């Protein structure tokens, strides 16, 4: 069973606009949620995280929102830049194990 | 030391052969993790170590898989009698685990192709 779901396999956004990536989860026991970014031929790299007791965390152009009642989180990137083009994984953490979603390929159009 | 390294980067083998992958974590990271990623999926947890102790293994890790971290530094993942279903990207990650929620730093992965 897929405990972390990313229902949009791909997303295209104009440079300078806001990118919104969505994620749903089923297990309410997760402690942290993270977003990882992955470029081709590289391992995933950490982007931003949020504790399950928070509802928002911001770091520069990146903001993650957590809605626990809906078991939903989202990543906002504003303004979007060409270097943001990558695959983004929504990830949940429990007992040191990361559970990944299937990823969303974000393409920023110049 | 600039990050987690994995060797080899690519491995092609015939079904039934044994293969071994190596992971060198970031120095002084006491946690080391192995994940497997198949096409179209996100990485899936396989196992992890705290120093040299293997603390948890996923049910994905069949009896043909074994992982070691003999001196609490580098780790090896061995697959015996490989099957075509073992074809995947094998990712290693390490973490200092100073605080709960500390990020895991991933290596570039070893891509295994079983013919």
């Amino acid at each position: 069973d897929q405990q972390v779901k990313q229902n949009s396999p791909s997303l295209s956004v104009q440079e300078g606009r806001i990118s919104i990536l969505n994620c749903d989860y089923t297990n309410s026991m997760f402690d942290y949620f993270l977003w990882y970014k992955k470029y081709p031929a590289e391992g995933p790299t950490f982007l931003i995280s949020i504790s399950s007791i928070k509802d928002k965390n911001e770091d520069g152009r990146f903001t993650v929102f957590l809605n626990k009642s809906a078991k939903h989180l989202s990543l906002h990137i504003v303004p979007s830049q060409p270097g943001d083009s990558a695959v983004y994984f929504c990830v949940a953490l429990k007992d040191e194990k990361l559970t990944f979603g299937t990823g969303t390929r974000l393409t920023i159009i110049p | 030391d600039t990050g987690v390294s994995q060797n080899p980067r690519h491995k092609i083998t015939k079904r039934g052969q044994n293969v071994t992958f190596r992971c060198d974590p970031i120095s002084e990271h006491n946690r080391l993790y192995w994940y497997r990623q198949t096409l179209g999926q996100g990485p899936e947890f396989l196992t992890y170590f705290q120093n040299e102790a293997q603390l948890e293994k996923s049910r994905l890790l069949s009896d043909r898989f074994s992982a070691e971290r003999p001196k609490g530094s580098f780790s090896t993942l061995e697959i015996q009698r490989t099957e075509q279903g073992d074809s995947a990207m094998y990712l290693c990650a390490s973490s200092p685990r100073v605080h709960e929620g500390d990020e895991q730093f991933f290596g570039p992965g070893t891509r295994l192709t079983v013919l």
Side-chain angles (χ1 to χ4, degrees), chain B residues 2-56:
Chain B
T2 57
V4 178
S5 61
Q6 293 187 246
N7 288 288
R9 295 291 307 273
H10 303 274
K11 179 70 177 178
I12 300 174
T13 190
K14 293 182 179 179
R15 188 176 52 187
Q17 297 295 304
N18 299 344
V19 294
T20 300
F21 310 139
R22 176 177 170 127
C23 170
D24 287 273
I26 294 172
S27 297
E28 299 178 358
H29 278 192
N30 58 27
R31 298 306 211 263
L32 187 148
Y33 310 81
W34 285 98
Y35 292 83
R36 180 176 71 184
Q37 184 178 14
T38 53
L39 199 62
Q41 302 297 315
E44 296 173 290
F45 170 81
L46 292 179
T47 188
Y48 86 97
F49 294 82
Q50 176 181 326
N51 299 314
E52 65 275 8
Q54 188 173 16
L55 296 188
E56 187 166 345

Side-chain angles (χ1 to χ4, degrees), chain A residues 32 36 41 43 46 96-97 101, chain B residues 9 31 33 56 103-104 107:
Chain A
Y32 279 84
Y36 275 76
F46 171 78
E96 299 204 44
K97 294 186 296 293
Chain B
R9 295 291 307 273
R31 298 306 211 263
Y33 310 81
E56 187 166 345
E103 66 176 285
Q104 296 180 15

